[in-house]
Amino acid sequence: MASTAAVPFWRAAGMTYITYSNICANLVRNCLKEPFKAEALNREKVHFSLSKWAGGKPEKPILRSDTPGV
Amino acid sequence: MFRQASRLLSRSVSAAASSRSTTNRAFSTEVPSTIDSTFVESWKKVAPNMDPPQTPSSFMKPRPSTASSIPTKLTVNFVLPYASELSGKEVDMVIIPATTGQMGVLPGHVPTIAELKPGIMSVHEGTDIKKYFVSSGFAFLHANSVADIIAVEAVPLENIDASQVQKGLAEFTQKLASATTDLEKAEAQIGVEVHSAMNAALSG
């Protein structure tokens, strides 16, 4: 029994729900008034360090300090 | 038909034995009565010395009971990833922006799972109405008049800057017109929807 429910446009374009939800949240955060906007962007900062492994040893790590929505 | 029986029976015996030794599961006689009695009876006819296999529902805690009369208040739990906005608050009604339209939830609402679209959620308590703009999320309405609403971002309407909303709307409408790939079109469409919803929320 094939499901005939219409897929949302973002899923038809290959996007997952999480991506869609995060984009919506970022758009809302970008439209906030000033003290709230700074708080929100501060709260959503992510920092991560990425290192590729070669021959059983980690190579030099890349540090990424992304602000969201980039 | 019975050639396979000994293999199948010994497989389930060893599985039952190993599961009993490694984990302290309740014996099947101790589980709550969510077991299908006709299945248990036919099992006992085939293999009377073995306990019937357990099903996933026998490991579940019993569901909270539904009151026989409709409660007067709705209990709302409204959570965000970084904060718990409302926790166990008793209210009269909430109106949630479901993808199928604005949905009013009263105590005794039929159990529903609703996906939310960007829009206004209002919590009504007596004459008090509190409005939040929700970016997206889900609402779980349970049979016992408890509503769990989860959103990624929810802000009071006063915190939204109208001029930025207008700017964003214009920007994304323009992006939508000039988008080429499916993904670009989808992203621009999302931008248009979210900003239109914010616009409507601020002016409505």
Coordinates of all heavy atoms in Angstrom, one line a residue, chain A:
Chain A
M1 N 0.9 -1.2 0.0 CA 0.0 0.0 0.0 C 0.9 1.2 0.0 O 1.4 1.6 1.0 CB -0.9 0.0 1.3 CG -1.8 1.2 1.4 SD -3.0 1.0 2.6 CE -2.1 1.0 4.1
A2 N 1.1 1.8 -1.2 CA 2.0 3.0 -1.3 C 1.3 4.2 -0.6 O 0.1 4.4 -0.7 CB 2.3 3.3 -2.7
S3 N 2.1 5.0 0.1 CA 1.6 6.2 0.8 C 1.5 7.3 -0.3 O 2.4 7.6 -1.0 CB 2.5 6.6 1.9 OG 2.5 7.9 2.1
T4 N 0.3 7.9 -0.3 CA 0.2 9.0 -1.4 C 0.2 10.3 -0.7 O -0.2 11.3 -1.3 CB -1.2 8.8 -2.1 OG1 -2.2 8.6 -1.1 CG2 -1.1 7.6 -3.0
A5 N 0.7 10.4 0.5 CA 0.7 11.8 1.2 C 1.7 12.6 0.4 O 2.7 12.2 0.0 CB 1.1 11.6 2.6
A6 N 1.3 13.9 0.2 CA 2.1 14.9 -0.5 C 3.3 15.1 0.4 O 3.2 15.4 1.6 CB 1.4 16.1 -0.8
V7 N 4.6 15.1 -0.2 CA 5.7 15.4 0.6 C 5.9 16.9 0.7 O 5.6 17.6 -0.3 CB 7.0 14.7 0.0 CG1 7.0 13.3 0.2 CG2 7.2 15.1 -1.4
P8 N 6.4 17.4 1.8 CA 6.6 18.9 1.8 C 7.7 19.2 0.8 O 8.5 18.4 0.4 CB 7.2 19.1 3.3 CG 6.9 17.8 4.0 CD 6.7 16.7 3.0
F9 N 7.7 20.5 0.4 CA 8.6 20.9 -0.7 C 10.0 20.7 -0.3 O 10.9 20.4 -1.2 CB 8.3 22.4 -1.1 CG 8.6 23.4 0.0 CD1 9.9 23.9 0.1 CD2 7.7 23.7 0.9 CE1 10.2 24.8 1.1 CE2 8.0 24.6 1.9 CZ 9.2 25.2 2.0
W10 N 10.4 20.9 1.0 CA 11.8 20.8 1.3 C 12.3 19.3 1.3 O 13.4 19.1 0.9 CB 12.1 21.4 2.7 CG 11.0 21.2 3.7 CD1 10.0 22.0 4.0 CD2 10.9 20.0 4.6 NE1 9.2 21.4 5.0 CE2 9.8 20.2 5.4 CE3 11.6 18.9 4.8 CZ2 9.3 19.3 6.3 CZ3 11.2 18.0 5.7 CH2 10.1 18.2 6.5
R11 N 11.4 18.4 1.5 CA 11.8 17.0 1.5 C 11.9 16.6 0.0 O 12.8 15.8 -0.4 CB 10.8 16.1 2.2 CG 11.4 14.7 2.3 CD 10.6 13.8 3.2 NE 10.8 14.1 4.6 CZ 11.8 13.9 5.4 NH1 12.9 13.3 4.9 NH2 11.8 14.2 6.7
A12 N 11.0 17.2 -0.8 CA 11.1 16.9 -2.3 C 12.5 17.4 -2.8 O 13.0 16.8 -3.8 CB 10.0 17.6 -3.0
A13 N 13.0 18.5 -2.2 CA 14.3 19.0 -2.7 C 15.5 18.3 -2.1 O 16.6 18.7 -2.3 CB 14.3 20.5 -2.4
G14 N 15.2 17.3 -1.3 CA 16.3 16.5 -0.7 C 16.7 17.0 0.7 O 17.8 16.5 1.2
M15 N 16.0 17.9 1.3 CA 16.4 18.3 2.7 C 15.7 17.5 3.7 O 14.6 17.1 3.6 CB 15.9 19.8 2.8 CG 16.7 20.6 3.8 SD 15.9 22.2 4.0 CE 16.5 23.0 2.5
T16 N 16.4 17.3 4.9 CA 15.8 16.6 6.0 C 15.0 17.5 6.9 O 15.2 18.7 6.8 CB 16.9 15.9 6.8 OG1 17.7 16.9 7.3 CG2 17.7 14.9 6.0
Y17 N 14.2 17.0 7.8 CA 13.4 17.8 8.6 C 14.3 18.6 9.5 O 14.1 19.8 9.8 CB 12.4 17.0 9.5 CG 11.7 17.9 10.4 CD1 10.6 18.6 10.0 CD2 12.0 18.0 11.8 CE1 9.9 19.4 10.8 CE2 11.4 18.9 12.6 CZ 10.3 19.6 12.1 OH 9.6 20.4 13.0
I18 N 15.4 18.0 10.0 CA 16.3 18.7 11.0 C 16.9 19.9 10.3 O 17.0 21.0 10.9 CB 17.4 17.8 11.5 CG1 16.8 16.6 12.2 CG2 18.4 18.5 12.3 CD1 17.8 15.7 12.9
T19 N 17.4 19.8 9.0 CA 17.9 20.9 8.3 C 16.9 22.0 8.2 O 17.1 23.2 8.4 CB 18.4 20.5 6.9 OG1 19.1 19.2 7.0 CG2 19.3 21.5 6.3
Y20 N 15.7 21.6 7.8 CA 14.6 22.6 7.6 C 14.3 23.3 8.9 O 14.2 24.5 9.0 CB 13.3 21.8 7.2 CG 12.0 22.6 7.4 CD1 11.7 23.7 6.5 CD2 11.1 22.3 8.3 CE1 10.6 24.4 6.7 CE2 9.9 23.0 8.5 CZ 9.7 24.0 7.7 OH 8.5 24.7 7.8
S21 N 14.2 22.6 10.0 CA 13.9 23.2 11.3 C 15.0 24.1 11.8 O 14.8 25.2 12.3 CB 13.7 22.0 12.3 OG 13.3 22.5 13.6
N22 N 16.3 23.7 11.5 CA 17.4 24.6 11.9 C 17.4 25.9 11.1 O 17.8 26.9 11.6 CB 18.7 23.8 11.8 CG 18.9 22.9 13.0 OD1 18.4 23.1 14.0 ND2 19.7 21.8 12.7
I23 N 17.1 25.7 9.8 CA 17.1 27.0 9.0 C 16.0 27.9 9.5 O 16.2 29.1 9.7 CB 16.8 26.6 7.5 CG1 18.0 25.8 6.9 CG2 16.6 27.8 6.7 CD1 17.9 25.4 5.5
C24 N 14.8 27.4 9.8 CA 13.7 28.2 10.3 C 14.2 28.9 11.6 O 13.9 30.1 11.8 CB 12.5 27.3 10.6 SG 11.6 26.8 9.2
A25 N 14.8 28.1 12.5 CA 15.2 28.7 13.8 C 16.2 29.8 13.6 O 16.2 30.9 14.2 CB 15.8 27.6 14.7
N26 N 17.2 29.6 12.6 CA 18.2 30.6 12.4 C 17.6 31.9 11.8 O 18.0 33.0 12.2 CB 19.2 30.1 11.4 CG 20.3 29.2 12.1 OD1 20.6 29.5 13.2 ND2 20.7 28.2 11.5
L27 N 16.6 31.7 10.9 CA 15.9 32.9 10.3 C 15.2 33.7 11.4 O 15.3 34.9 11.4 CB 14.9 32.5 9.3 CG 15.6 31.8 8.0 CD1 14.5 31.3 7.1 CD2 16.4 32.9 7.3
V28 N 14.5 33.0 12.3 CA 13.8 33.7 13.4 C 14.9 34.4 14.3 O 14.7 35.6 14.7 CB 13.0 32.7 14.3 CG1 12.4 33.4 15.5 CG2 11.9 32.1 13.4
R29 N 16.0 33.7 14.6 CA 17.0 34.4 15.5 C 17.5 35.6 14.8 O 17.8 36.6 15.5 CB 18.1 33.4 15.8 CG 17.8 32.4 16.9 CD 19.0 31.7 17.3 NE 19.3 30.5 16.5 CZ 18.9 29.3 16.7 NH1 18.2 29.0 17.8 NH2 19.2 28.3 15.9
N30 N 17.7 35.6 13.5 CA 18.3 36.8 12.9 C 17.4 38.0 12.9 O 17.8 39.1 12.6 CB 18.6 36.4 11.4 CG 19.9 35.7 11.3 OD1 20.8 35.9 12.2 ND2 20.1 34.8 10.4
C31 N 16.1 37.7 13.1 CA 15.1 38.9 13.1 C 14.8 39.3 14.5 O 13.7 40.0 14.7 CB 13.8 38.4 12.4 SG 14.1 38.2 10.7
L32 N 15.6 39.0 15.5 CA 15.3 39.5 16.8 C 15.8 40.9 17.1 O 16.7 41.3 16.4 CB 15.9 38.5 17.9 CG 15.3 37.1 17.9 CD1 16.1 36.3 18.9 CD2 13.9 37.1 18.3
K33 N 15.2 41.5 18.1 CA 15.7 42.9 18.5 C 17.0 42.7 19.3 O 17.3 41.6 19.7 CB 14.6 43.5 19.4 CG 13.4 44.0 18.6 CD 12.5 44.8 19.5 CE 11.3 45.2 18.8 NZ 10.1 45.4 19.6
E34 N 17.7 43.9 19.4 CA 19.1 43.8 19.8 C 19.5 42.9 21.0 O 20.2 42.0 20.9 CB 19.7 45.1 19.8 CG 21.0 45.1 19.0 CD 21.6 43.7 18.7 OE1 22.2 43.1 19.6 OE2 21.5 43.2 17.5
P35 N 19.2 43.2 22.3 CA 19.9 42.4 23.3 C 19.5 40.9 23.1 O 20.4 40.0 23.3 CB 19.3 42.9 24.6 CG 18.1 43.6 24.3 CD 18.2 44.1 22.9
F36 N 18.3 40.6 22.6 CA 17.9 39.2 22.4 C 18.7 38.5 21.3 O 19.1 37.4 21.4 CB 16.4 39.1 22.2 CG 15.6 39.8 23.2 CD1 15.0 41.0 22.9 CD2 15.5 39.2 24.5 CE1 14.3 41.6 23.9 CE2 14.8 39.9 25.4 CZ 14.1 41.1 25.1
K37 N 19.0 39.3 20.3 CA 19.7 38.7 19.1 C 21.1 38.3 19.5 O 21.5 37.2 19.2 CB 19.7 39.7 18.0 CG 20.3 39.2 16.7 CD 20.1 40.1 15.6 CE 20.7 39.6 14.3 NZ 20.5 40.5 13.2
A38 N 21.8 39.2 20.2 CA 23.1 38.9 20.6 C 23.1 37.7 21.6 O 24.0 36.8 21.4 CB 23.8 40.1 21.3
E39 N 22.2 37.6 22.5 CA 22.1 36.4 23.4 C 21.9 35.2 22.6 O 22.5 34.2 22.9 CB 20.9 36.6 24.3 CG 21.1 37.5 25.5 CD 19.8 37.7 26.3 OE1 18.9 36.9 26.0 OE2 19.8 38.6 27.0
A40 N 21.0 35.2 21.7 CA 20.6 34.0 20.9 C 21.8 33.5 20.1 O 22.2 32.3 20.1 CB 19.5 34.3 20.0
L41 N 22.5 34.5 19.4 CA 23.6 34.0 18.6 C 24.8 33.5 19.5 O 25.5 32.6 19.1 CB 24.1 35.2 17.7 CG 23.1 35.6 16.7 CD1 23.6 36.7 15.8 CD2 22.7 34.4 15.8
N42 N 24.9 34.1 20.6 CA 25.9 33.7 21.6 C 25.6 32.3 22.0 O 26.5 31.4 22.1 CB 25.9 34.6 22.8 CG 27.3 34.7 23.4 OD1 28.2 34.0 22.9 ND2 27.4 35.4 24.5
R43 N 24.4 32.0 22.3 CA 24.0 30.7 22.8 C 24.2 29.6 21.7 O 24.5 28.5 22.1 CB 22.5 30.8 23.2 CG 21.9 29.6 23.8 CD 20.4 29.5 23.6 NE 19.7 30.7 23.8 CZ 18.8 31.1 23.0 NH1 18.4 30.5 21.9 NH2 18.1 32.2 23.2
E44 N 24.0 30.0 20.5 CA 24.1 29.0 19.4 C 25.5 28.8 18.8 O 25.6 28.1 17.9 CB 23.1 29.3 18.3 CG 21.7 29.3 18.8 CD 21.2 28.0 19.2 OE1 21.5 27.0 18.6 OE2 20.4 27.9 20.2
K45 N 26.5 29.4 19.4 CA 27.9 29.2 18.9 C 28.3 27.8 19.0 O 28.1 27.2 20.0 CB 28.8 30.1 19.6 CG 28.9 31.5 19.2 CD 30.3 32.1 19.4 CE 30.4 33.5 18.9 NZ 30.2 34.5 19.9
V46 N 29.0 27.3 18.0 CA 29.6 25.9 18.1 C 31.1 26.0 17.9 O 31.5 26.8 17.0 CB 28.9 24.9 17.2 CG1 27.6 24.5 17.6 CG2 28.9 25.4 15.8
H47 N 31.8 25.3 18.6 CA 33.3 25.2 18.4 C 33.6 23.7 18.2 O 33.2 22.9 19.1 CB 34.0 25.7 19.6 CG 33.6 27.1 20.0 ND1 34.3 28.2 19.5 CD2 32.7 27.5 20.8 CE1 33.7 29.3 20.0 NE2 32.7 28.9 20.8
F48 N 34.3 23.4 17.1 CA 34.7 22.0 17.1 C 36.1 21.9 16.4 O 36.4 22.7 15.6 CB 33.7 21.0 16.6 CG 33.0 21.4 15.3 CD1 33.5 20.9 14.1 CD2 31.9 22.2 15.3 CE1 32.9 21.3 12.9 CE2 31.3 22.5 14.2 CZ 31.8 22.1 13.0
S49 N 36.8 20.8 16.8 CA 38.1 20.6 16.2 C 38.0 19.3 15.4 O 37.5 18.3 15.9 CB 39.1 20.5 17.4 OG 40.0 19.5 17.1
L50 N 38.5 19.3 14.2 CA 38.4 18.2 13.3 C 39.8 17.8 12.9 O 40.6 18.6 12.6 CB 37.7 18.8 12.1 CG 37.0 17.8 11.1 CD1 35.8 17.2 11.8 CD2 36.5 18.6 9.9
S51 N 40.0 16.5 13.0 CA 41.3 16.0 12.5 C 41.2 14.8 11.7 O 40.5 13.9 12.1 CB 42.4 15.8 13.7 OG 41.7 15.3 14.8
K52 N 41.8 14.8 10.6 CA 41.8 13.6 9.7 C 42.8 12.6 10.2 O 43.9 13.0 10.7 CB 42.1 14.0 8.3 CG 41.1 14.8 7.6 CD 41.1 14.7 6.1 CE 39.8 15.2 5.6 NZ 39.8 15.9 4.4
W53 N 42.6 11.4 10.0 CA 43.5 10.3 10.5 C 44.1 9.7 9.3 O 43.5 9.4 8.3 CB 42.7 9.3 11.3 CG 42.4 9.7 12.6 CD1 41.5 10.7 13.0 CD2 42.9 9.2 13.9 NE1 41.5 10.9 14.3 CE2 42.2 9.9 14.9 CE3 43.7 8.1 14.2 CZ2 42.5 9.7 16.3 CZ3 43.9 7.9 15.6 CH2 43.3 8.7 16.6
A54 N 45.5 9.5 9.3 CA 46.2 8.8 8.2 C 47.2 7.9 8.9 O 47.9 8.3 9.7 CB 46.9 9.8 7.4
G55 N 47.1 6.6 8.4 CA 48.1 5.7 8.9 C 48.0 5.5 10.4 O 49.0 5.3 11.1
G56 N 46.8 5.5 11.0 CA 46.6 5.2 12.4 C 46.9 6.4 13.3 O 46.9 6.3 14.5
K57 N 47.3 7.6 12.7 CA 47.7 8.7 13.6 C 46.9 9.9 13.2 O 46.6 10.1 12.0 CB 49.2 9.0 13.4 CG 50.1 8.1 14.1 CD 51.4 8.8 14.3 CE 52.6 7.9 14.5 NZ 52.9 7.0 13.5
P58 N 46.5 10.7 14.1 CA 45.7 11.9 13.7 C 46.7 12.9 13.1 O 47.8 13.1 13.6 CB 45.1 12.4 15.0 CG 46.0 11.9 16.1 CD 46.6 10.6 15.6
E59 N 46.3 13.6 12.0 CA 47.1 14.7 11.5 C 46.7 16.0 12.2 O 45.9 15.9 13.1 CB 46.7 14.8 10.0 CG 47.1 13.6 9.2 CD 46.7 13.7 7.7 OE1 45.9 14.6 7.4 OE2 47.2 13.0 6.9
K60 N 47.3 17.1 11.7 CA 47.1 18.3 12.4 C 45.6 18.7 12.5 O 44.9 18.6 11.5 CB 47.8 19.4 11.7 CG 47.8 20.8 12.4 CD 49.0 21.6 12.0 CE 49.0 23.0 12.6 NZ 48.1 23.3 13.6
P61 N 45.1 19.0 13.7 CA 43.6 19.2 13.8 C 43.2 20.6 13.2 O 44.0 21.5 13.2 CB 43.3 19.2 15.3 CG 44.6 19.5 15.9 CD 45.7 19.0 15.0
I62 N 42.0 20.7 12.6 CA 41.5 21.9 12.1 C 40.5 22.4 13.2 O 39.6 21.7 13.5 CB 40.8 21.7 10.8 CG1 41.6 21.0 9.8 CG2 40.3 23.0 10.2 CD1 40.8 20.5 8.6
L63 N 40.7 23.6 13.7 CA 39.8 24.1 14.6 C 38.7 25.0 14.0 O 39.0 25.8 13.2 CB 40.5 25.0 15.7 CG 41.0 24.1 16.8 CD1 42.5 24.4 17.0 CD2 40.3 24.4 18.1
R64 N 37.5 24.6 14.2 CA 36.4 25.4 13.5 C 35.5 26.0 14.6 O 35.1 25.3 15.5 CB 35.6 24.5 12.7 CG 36.3 24.1 11.4 CD 35.5 23.2 10.5 NE 34.4 24.0 10.0 CZ 33.4 23.5 9.3 NH1 33.5 22.2 8.9 NH2 32.4 24.2 8.8
S65 N 35.4 27.3 14.5 CA 34.6 28.0 15.5 C 33.5 28.7 14.7 O 33.6 29.8 14.4 CB 35.5 29.0 16.2 OG 34.8 29.6 17.3
D66 N 32.5 27.9 14.4 CA 31.4 28.5 13.5 C 30.4 29.2 14.2 O 29.9 28.8 15.3 CB 30.7 27.3 12.8 CG 31.5 26.7 11.7 OD1 32.7 27.2 11.5 OD2 31.1 25.8 11.0
T67 N 30.0 30.3 13.7 CA 28.8 30.9 14.1 C 27.7 30.3 13.3 O 27.9 29.9 12.1 CB 28.7 32.4 13.9 OG1 29.2 32.7 12.6 CG2 29.7 33.1 14.9
P68 N 26.5 30.1 13.9 CA 25.5 29.3 13.2 C 24.9 30.0 11.9 O 25.1 31.2 11.8 CB 24.4 29.1 14.2 CG 24.5 30.3 15.1 CD 26.0 30.7 15.1
G69 N 24.4 29.2 11.1 CA 23.7 29.8 9.9 C 24.7 30.0 8.8 O 24.3 30.5 7.7
V70 N 26.0 29.7 9.1 CA 27.0 29.9 8.0 C 27.1 28.7 7.2 O 27.2 27.6 7.7 CB 28.4 30.2 8.6 CG1 29.5 30.3 7.6 CG2 28.3 31.6 9.4

